[in-house]
Amino acid sequence: MIKIGTKNELFRISHLPIHIQNAISQDVALLDENYGEDRNVDVDMGGFVVVCEKNESLHIENFNKNLDTSEFAQVICPYKKYLYIAGKE
């Protein structure tokens, strides 16, 4: 599992196919633009991108992919991209 919060961390996905890198880069740029490039994604608002293998277990606090419903899904052949919106109560 790779967790990316800002454009400064995009080097961590350089081994992925270019079309996946581009999709992630666009998502992270949008998060940086709206929430700031210097945020701490573990404590600040603004979200992050997680890249994982098909059946890999996610270790994200307060998130269960089997219970939470995605707001958006997109196929980026042969991969799938999901958007989840979460918040603290």
Side-chain angles (χ1 to χ4, degrees), residues 25-36:
S25 178
Q26 290 172 3
D27 292 342
V28 171
L30 185 61
L31 294 173
D32 281 356
E33 180 180 319
N34 287 284
Y35 298 102

Side-chain angles (χ1 to χ4, degrees), residues 39-55:
R39 71 190 186 285
N40 178 340
V41 298
D42 292 320
V43 293
D44 297 334
M45 293 181 67
F48 50 86
V49 173
V50 174
V51 179
C52 63
E53 298 294 327
K54 182 177 181 179
N55 292 315

Side-chain angles (χ1 to χ4, degrees), residues 5-25:
T6 65
K7 290 186 286 186
N8 294 332
E9 299 174 312
L10 289 174
F11 70 91
R12 299 175 65 209
I13 59 166
S14 62
H15 63 285
L16 296 175
I18 193 68
H19 61 288
I20 299 301
Q21 290 181 49
N22 289 339
I24 293 170
S25 178

Side-chain angles (χ1 to χ4, degrees), residues 34-73:
N34 287 284
Y35 298 102
E37 295 178 11
D38 296 325
R39 71 190 186 285
N40 178 340
V41 298
D42 292 320
V43 293
D44 297 334
M45 293 181 67
F48 50 86
V49 173
V50 174
V51 179
C52 63
E53 298 294 327
K54 182 177 181 179
N55 292 315
E56 183 177 6
S57 295
L58 297 179
H59 302 289
I60 302 171
E61 188 174 336
N62 300 320
F63 176 75
N64 183 333
K65 72 177 182 176
N66 297 318
L67 298 177
D68 292 330
T69 303
S70 66
E71 299 290 328
F72 173 79

